[in-house]
Amino acid sequence: MNPAGMIYLAEQNIDDFLPDKYDACENSVRSSEGTLFAMVEDRRGNRALFVSGRAENKFEGGESFEEGTVFPLTLENARKLSEFFSWLKPKIAGSDSAFGCGDRIGLATPGHIRAVEKGDVVPVLAQQSIREMERTGRNPRSVLNTAVWGVFREGFEEGFVADADHLKSRESVEKTASAGYTMFTCDPSEEVENEADRMSSDKLESKFSRIDDSEELVDRYIGKEFTATLDKFDYKYESSFSWKDLMGAAVKYYDAVLFADRMYNWVDEKVNGNFDFEVSVDETENPTSPLEHIFVANELLRRGVNLTSLAPRFVGDIQKAIDYIGDLEKFEEAFKAHCAIAETLGPYKLSLHSGSDKFSIYPIISKYAKDKIHVKTAGTSYLEALRVIAKGNPDLFRRICRIALERFPEDRATYHMTTDLSRIPDVDSLDDDELPELLDQDDSRQVLHVTYGSVLSCEENGEPLFKDELKNVLRKNEERYFSRLKDHIGHHLDLLAGRS
Ligand code: ZN
């Protein structure tokens, strides 16, 4: 063993300190406590952690060389490494604006980091719902693992959040908490009574009277004025609950509130220290009214749920992969009210899910909430990966498109979308250089966006049909992939910061 960590200086050529078959990922090179650390890559593109010096014996599963030891990129080794470099440990965003960059394939983190380097927002680099993990054959540990090693590879020291998104059970809270997630997004949608919007007054009344707390609810809400303000904009939202408003909000959301409260306690029991907690009701049938927002947030806060963010279902049509559909003035009016409520009752942040590609509402969000918003994106980075595939391997891209179209009717079931398949050009009639157009056309974007699970998990004779091939093309073209992500996610962040 040659304790290179003791003698390596930044201006020296790091590769002189490595075993012959490896090159260093330059931004990763660090030294600490007499030990040299670097992410290294062999000729075939396999990456590993190189450690040379006193700390070598702390890591697991290594292969020794004269120059030091090379270790696999496991979550355990990432944890050990974070004892030397605390920026490798996921942190919380707290009240700072945050931007979620979900990565369905597991190769995007360096591109995401390049997009967020301007520093306006705290990046959320691991962000997957349990549904997404199931569809892509991943799990909380593997999702976090690829993010952490991406952070090390880039030498990104600003910190990042790991969001366990759309949690619906205690089991998923426990799995994500023990993996090391720092943000927990509670999805109580199974407890939301969407029917409440359509119930007759009699039915509402009888359902309402069955709520244990109904008399206290009446005391808390009936005959009270609710005022929320945005001082900076000289804006005031004032309203009060009619009987119907209260019964509607309570019948619709009361069980969801109880569920979110329980989940908050599950997280609290399991996580040592601080965590971010979001409650998302963004997947309900109808938009969340300002009064419903007041009801949900107030009931959560008075139970001691320390809300970091809340995701209402915003007014208008927020579909996957495409711009906002709806009246921008109405959106602005509602957004302002939600902002004022979040500011006055909390403060906590508003959270916008499916936040990618909604370029027309970004100026409004920027105006009222650029310093107190949480945005989540995921599929849009997958689409950027497909753009790289379309150019790097047109034949693979065509095969992906065909499977996507075949699986779309089934895969769209859990999403609300107005996709018109007849507008999508026939992939076989397009020339190779026309293929990327499918990623600029709304209908084909949506088809490709929601079929990620089928594409990434489909098999033939027990072998993955596309996954490995797709990853290989991305690895071969990774600089193009990262620069696409930098531009595309960066465009969102520029709009959010009010830069363009
Ligand atoms: Zn969501």
Side-chain angles (χ1 to χ4, degrees), residues 166 280 282-283 353:
H166 280 282
S280 72
D282 64 305
E283 291 185 3
H353 291 205

Side-chain angles (χ1 to χ4, degrees), residues 40 94 105 116 233 256 277 388 414 464 491:
V40 293
I105 301 170
V116 300
F233 298 92
F277 191 74
V388 173
T414 52
H491 182 46

